[in-house]
Amino acid sequence: DALLAQYHPSHVLIELGANDGLRGFPVTNMQANLTDLIEKRQAENAMVALMEIYIHPNNAQRNSKMFTDRFTQL
């Protein structure tokens, strides 16, 4: 937040690492964090791009689908 407030970027790329999905980080928490990041940047009139990270289903098939679905919703 401090760097973004200092530089006021016009465009922001948000990329969430696959490690969150592989570790089984709660998907609802991930979505809440991403929503917060997106809304803060949009409130400052920045164009926001969200990069979806793919988790291979062999690692955690249930979590993989839930993880991917959140990106689609956001």
Side-chain angles (χ1 to χ4, degrees):
D1 283 339
L3 288 174
L4 292 167
Q6 179 181 352
Y7 293 105
H8 303 284
S10 61
H11 293 75
V12 176
L13 172 63
I14 298 173
E15 176 186 7
L16 184 70
N19 288 339
D20 288 341
L22 295 173
R23 288 187 331 217
F25 188 75
V27 178
T28 53
N29 292 5
M30 178 201 73
Q31 183 176 5
N33 291 340
L34 284 172
T35 299
D36 185 52
L37 288 170
I38 292 167
E39 288 176 350
K40 282 182 179 179
R41 303 297 62 93
Q42 288 176 333
E44 296 181 11
N45 298 316
M47 296 295 296
V48 178
L50 177 62
M51 181 178 279
E52 179 180 351
I53 303 299
Y54 176 75
I55 300 173
H56 196 279
N58 287 345
N59 293 317
Q61 188 165 5
R62 178 178 168 271
N63 200 44
S64 176
K65 176 156 176 36
M66 289 171 48
F67 192 81
T68 302
D69 287 349
R70 299 304 164 136
F71 284 96
T72 304
Q73 293 171 5
L74 290 166

